[in-house]
Amino acid sequence: MALWAGQVSRWCCRLDAARAAEFLRGLRSCGSPAQPCRQFAPRALLPAGKDVVLWRLQAHRRVSGGSSAPLDSARNESFSSPESNLPSPVKEQAKAETLPDLSAEVLNEDWDDIPPSSALEEISEEEAVQIIAEPLLPLQSTTLRDYVDHSETLAKLVHLGVDLSQVEKRQKAGQLLLTLDFEKDIKKILLFLKDVGIEDNQLGPFLTKNPYILGEDLEALETRVAYLKSKKFGNSEIAQMVSRAPYLLLFSVERLDNRLGFFKNELGLSVKKTKDLVIRLPRLLTGKLEPVKENLQVCQVELGFQRNEIQQIVYKTPKILTASKKRLKQTFDYLHNIMGIPHHMLTRFPQVFNSKLLRIRERHMFLAFLGRAQYDPAKPSYISLDQLVSLPNEVFCTEIAKASIQDFESFLKTL
């Protein structure tokens, strides 16, 4: 043991300050005595070249001496003779570069600081199976489903009843939701919609149809609602309009005002009738105006209705303004040219234009087969257009056709 200590002292005297510091760091990195050091010792601590030969000879002499006194004298001689040959400045430097006291207290003071686990550290199979790997968040995806587990906003929207599979079909709606914070951005919009009159069970379907409202400025939304109230729309009417036309509040006050003015002037309606018109069909305020203008032109030029008749038809049946032009002309042709219904009768019952042409044709042909197709109110056994299209099959057969439902079904098979 004395031999080892003496040899270490000889090596350390030859180390400069940097190597001594590296040696200390190597000792401290070994951790507690119970844990072996995970790092290899630096090569600079080992003797090299001629020193190896000298060290082996000295070790052999000390071991073969057999007594402690020769060992001590050999140790003193071996460590003093090389220094006696050094110039005086080197001797002073060697004395100055002595190692600090490596007592047990100093070495133990960092043993409680266990180094962090390394990624290359081997673990047991039991520890390995207990590791749960979090799924990676994709950088790009075509579905919002991949982000629900990572996004509190998406998770809460799903809880509200929002159908993300439908939202992601809308242009840039998915990107919008991923950039919003629920507490900061979305919560205030939800409270606003509840104040407008949207029920809790309607929030999910509403946001599914119009997720863009979550990115709107709250003050702008409140301004648009205030405008509708200034036009004498009641709270319940506004709630009905917003729920039936989810995009309504995305339009500016100027656009809403222009739309109301268009229908009032184009149809020649009063303020009250214009308001009633958009309450019953609020998407007139959000849809394109080109189809509306085309249908008005078709009614007047191709179908032959007068301006006052068009006004009555539109006010009673607003959907005629957004109906397909082809369907509108086909229905009119069958009613007017096949069934012989005049314009003034169609003006009285414009809801017939909302019915399917197949339903009208089947019932008319069945009444004609029975000899009961009579649509003139001035004659007996009159059948109104409303009764023709609005009643269920069972009621139509028993009360209008005076036949059984089986007779009607058997007749349809012959067509």
Side-chain angles (χ1 to χ4, degrees), residues 2 13 29 65 96 236 241 254 282 298 317 320 322 347 369 406 413:
C13 288
S29 65
S236 60
M241 293 168 63
E254 292 76 14
V298 167
T317 312
I320 200 172
T322 58
T347 303
F369 174 76
Q406 291 78 14
K413 293 179 181 179

Side-chain angles (χ1 to χ4, degrees), residues 227-254:
Y227 166 77
L228 293 176
K229 291 182 178 180
S230 70
K231 294 298 180 180
K232 308 303 179 184
F233 289 95
N235 292 334
S236 60
E237 295 170 342
I238 294 175
Q240 178 183 341
M241 293 168 63
V242 171
S243 61
R244 295 180 61 185
Y247 286 97
L248 178 63
L249 295 180
L250 295 185
F251 295 99
S252 64
V253 170
E254 292 76 14

Side-chain angles (χ1 to χ4, degrees), residues 398-409:
T398 57
E399 296 186 7
I400 305 302
K402 306 300 180 181
S404 65
I405 185 67
Q406 291 78 14
D407 294 334
F408 182 54
E409 292 175 349

Side-chain angles (χ1 to χ4, degrees), residues 192-193 196 206 210 213 216 220-221 224-225 228 238 242 245-252 256 286:
F192 164 78
L193 291 175
V196 169
F206 180 88
N210 180 19
I213 197 172
E216 287 289 304
L221 295 174
R224 294 160 194 169
V225 172
L228 293 176
I238 294 175
V242 171
Y247 286 97
L248 178 63
L249 295 180
L250 295 185
F251 295 99
S252 64
L256 294 176
T286 62

Side-chain angles (χ1 to χ4, degrees), residues 108-342:
N108 286 337
E109 67 181 1
D110 285 340
W111 283 356
D112 291 336
D113 298 333
I114 299 178
S117 300
S118 170
L120 302 178
E121 181 181 0
E122 294 184 3
I123 60 175
S124 64
E125 293 184 2
E126 292 76 7
E127 294 174 326
V129 298
Q130 294 178 0
I131 297 176
I132 301 176
E134 292 290 336
L136 296 177
L137 184 65
L139 297 178
Q140 292 182 347
S141 178
T142 58
T143 175
L144 290 174
R145 182 179 55 209
D146 295 337
Y147 300 95
V148 173
D149 294 336
H150 306 274
S151 172
E152 179 185 6
T153 297
L154 295 182
K156 289 186 176 181
L157 289 177
V158 170
H159 184 70
L160 281 174
V162 178
D163 188 350
L164 296 182
S165 65
Q166 297 298 318
V167 171
E168 64 192 18
K169 295 178 182 179
R170 306 185 185 278
Q171 187 177 12
K172 297 184 179 180
Q175 293 91 322
L176 172 65
L177 296 186
L178 290 174
T179 60
L180 297 178
D181 180 82
F182 189 87
E183 294 295 330
K184 180 182 178 182
D185 304 316
I186 297 180
K187 189 174 181 179
K188 59 184 179 182
I189 303 297
L190 296 178
L191 294 176
F192 164 78
L193 291 175
K194 288 174 62 66
D195 290 340
V196 169
I198 305 298
E199 301 293 336
D200 291 347
N201 59 352
Q202 296 177 330
L203 287 174
F206 180 88
L207 295 177
T208 300
K209 296 176 182 177
N210 180 19
Y212 304 107
I213 197 172
L214 297 176
E216 287 289 304
D217 180 69
L218 180 59
E219 185 177 352
L221 295 174
E222 293 173 342
T223 301
R224 294 160 194 169
V225 172
Y227 166 77
L228 293 176
K229 291 182 178 180
S230 70
K231 294 298 180 180
K232 308 303 179 184
F233 289 95
N235 292 334
S236 60
E237 295 170 342
I238 294 175
Q240 178 183 341
M241 293 168 63
V242 171
S243 61
R244 295 180 61 185
Y247 286 97
L248 178 63
L249 295 180
L250 295 185
F251 295 99
S252 64
V253 170
E254 292 76 14
R255 179 165 181 171
L256 294 176
D257 190 67
N258 291 335
R259 287 300 178 88
L260 289 174
F262 169 81
F263 290 108
K264 179 180 179 300
N265 299 327
E266 192 72 18
L267 299 174
L269 299 176
S270 64
V271 174
K272 183 181 183 305
K273 287 189 175 182
T274 303
K275 187 177 71 171
D276 293 340
L277 180 71
V278 297
I279 289 174
R280 285 182 292 150
L281 192 63
R283 70 168 181 264
L284 290 175
L285 298 176
T286 62
K288 296 180 179 179
L289 289 181
E290 286 74 15
V292 174
K293 295 177 181 179
E294 290 177 357
N295 282 2
L296 289 175
Q297 189 74 7
V298 167
C299 289
Q300 185 173 1
V301 177
E302 299 187 37
L303 306 186
F305 287 101
Q306 301 297 320
R307 178 176 174 83
N308 63 326
E309 291 176 332
I310 296 175
Q311 185 183 85
Q312 295 181 50
I313 291 173
V314 170
Y315 180 72
K316 292 179 180 178
T317 312
K319 286 185 179 180
I320 200 172
L321 292 173
T322 58
S324 166
K325 291 187 299 180
K326 180 179 178 180
R327 175 186 170 185
L328 185 61
K329 289 188 288 186
Q330 288 177 343
T331 303
F332 174 82
D333 180 67
Y334 192 86
L335 290 168
H336 183 68
N337 299 321
I338 304 299
M339 295 174 59
I341 309 297

